[in-house]
Amino acid sequence: VQLVESGGGSVQTGGSLRLSCKVSGNIYSYYYMGWFRQAPGKERETVAVIDSDDSSNYADSVQGRFTISLDNAENTLYLQMDRLKTEDTAVYFCAVNAPSTRSVDGFLPGPHEMNFWGQGTQVTVS
């Protein structure tokens, strides 16, 4: 399984960015995947997750501002980020846990639960 992120960059406070994560390889029919971020000097944290039944879940810090989505036809995971804040500055990673039948409804997995990772893309908000 390979994951390749794109779409990072620099943006002003209040602006928007959309991250993409192209997924290739066999991730089976049941999985959950998501976006994680790591700011300098901080631990990697979960941002948003989505599962193969299209349930999603978000960290409190991004709820209402970020939207995760999955285009199965394009094998691409997206993260639409609106009303960005300086504290959103970080390297953003996409990751997959597969195979898994676990729902993310009411469950926000930590980075340690993911078994495939992308290389990350930098998001800077100033």
Side-chain angles (χ1 to χ4, degrees):
V1 176
Q2 288 189 321
L3 308 172
V4 180
E5 302 98 335
S6 61
S10 297
V11 64
Q12 292 187 336
T13 300
S16 298
L17 279 175
R18 188 175 81 155
L19 305 182
S20 301
C21 174
K22 182 72 172 179
V23 183
S24 59
N26 183 11
I27 61 168
Y28 306 94
S29 299
Y30 298 97
Y31 52 82
Y32 55 86
M33 58 177 66
W35 292 95
F36 301 77
R37 67 187 182 187
Q38 188 165 17
K42 294 188 176 181
E43 293 187 354
R44 194 169 297 188
E45 62 178 2
T46 307
V47 176
V49 292
I50 190 167
D51 63 30
S52 47
D53 287 334
D54 212 31
S55 293
S56 59
N57 203 353
Y58 297 87
D60 290 344
S61 59
V62 305
Q63 181 76 47
R65 299 189 297 120
F66 290 10
T67 304
I68 190 170
S69 61
L70 178 62
D71 185 332
N72 286 300
E74 297 293 328
N75 293 328
T76 302
L77 179 71
Y78 297 101
L79 184 69
Q80 177 66 41
M81 305 185 294
D82 298 318
R83 305 200 307 276
L84 282 159
K85 305 176 180 180
T86 55
E87 51 263 46
D88 295 319
T89 295
V91 178
Y92 284 70
F93 301 86
C94 63
V96 173
N97 182 312
S100 176
T101 58
R102 184 161 190 178
S103 171
V104 300
D105 187 10
F107 167 58
L108 195 67
H112 64 283
E113 306 200 53
M114 313 307 282
N115 50 9
F116 300 103
W117 288 89
Q119 82 288 351
T121 185
Q122 177 71 46
V123 172
T124 302
V125 185
S126 59

